[in-house]
């Protein structure tokens, strides 16, 4: 397990979260598309894991129709901005494993983001997460 306060480069952090959820979400009727390229910056690994996973789960918990979820990222000065865009033109139907667990709601995602010092906003089908850059990695 990673040490608390560990850093991860942005692209690897997003890939890790996508790898964790892509198969499960696919079986539930969602397609997760990762357009995040390698970026020479590092963010808090826990912040990335908690906030991005919570946002993905909250979005899919709230949708009744299949959707394509696209992740992209940009770096602006001392912040890494990850955008989750929801496109409701998915195919098939939503198939949930088990509806007995308490679904995540937006307030849960907001609380997790605040605890991890991640900026969070939502507009229409777009969630924007702003992670403080902890370290810039020099390209070789």
């Amino acid at each position: 397990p990673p040490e608390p306060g560990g850093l991860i480069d942005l692209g690897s952090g997003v890939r890790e979260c996508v790898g964790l959820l892509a198969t499960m979400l696919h079986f539930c009727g969602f397609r997760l598309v990762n357009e995040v390229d390698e970026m020479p910056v590092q963010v808090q690994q826990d912040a990335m894991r908690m906030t991005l996973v919570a946002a993905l789960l909250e979005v899919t918990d709230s949708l009744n129709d299949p959707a394509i979820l696209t992740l992209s990222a940009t770096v602006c000065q001392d912040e890494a901005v990850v955008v989750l865009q929801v496109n409701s033109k998915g195919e098939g139907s939503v198939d949930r494993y088990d509806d007995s667990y308490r679904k995540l709601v937006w307030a849960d995602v907001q609380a997790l983001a605040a605890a991890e010092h991640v900026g969070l906003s939502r507009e229409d089908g777009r969630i924007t997460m702003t992670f403080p850059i902890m370290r810039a990695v020099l390209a070789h």
Side-chain angles (χ1 to χ4, degrees), residues 50-109:
M50 298 296 282
T51 308
L52 181 52
V53 168
L56 285 164
L57 290 174
E58 188 279 335
V59 162
T60 55
D61 277 353
S62 68
L63 292 172
N64 292 317
D65 294 309
I68 299 168
L69 313 171
T70 305
L71 291 164
S72 59
T74 54
V75 172
C76 306
Q77 294 169 341
D78 56 351
E79 297 177 328
V81 180
V82 176
V83 174
L84 168 57
Q85 183 70 46
V86 180
N87 180 339
S88 5
K89 293 185 174 71
E91 296 173 8
S93 61
V94 171
D95 181 23
R96 306 225 184 267
Y97 281 119
D98 179 8
D99 272 341
S100 65
Y101 75 96
R102 183 181 80 80
K103 292 182 170 149
L104 280 179
V105 295
W106 185 241
D108 297 327
V109 183

Side-chain angles (χ1 to χ4, degrees), residues 8-59:
I8 192 166
D9 67 275
L10 184 66
S12 296
V14 172
R15 261 195 325 277
E16 183 181 85
C17 295
V18 167
L20 185 67
L21 294 176
T23 302
M24 180 200 71
L25 292 179
H26 175 76
F27 284 122
C28 292
F30 302 102
R31 197 167 114 223
L32 190 49
V33 179
N34 181 7
E35 295 180 348
V36 177
D37 296 320
E38 290 304 315
M39 296 188 180
V41 296
Q42 290 190 322
V43 297
Q44 289 281 349
Q45 186 171 28
D46 289 348
M48 171 67 67
R49 285 178 171 173
M50 298 296 282
T51 308
L52 181 52
V53 168
L56 285 164
L57 290 174
E58 188 279 335
V59 162

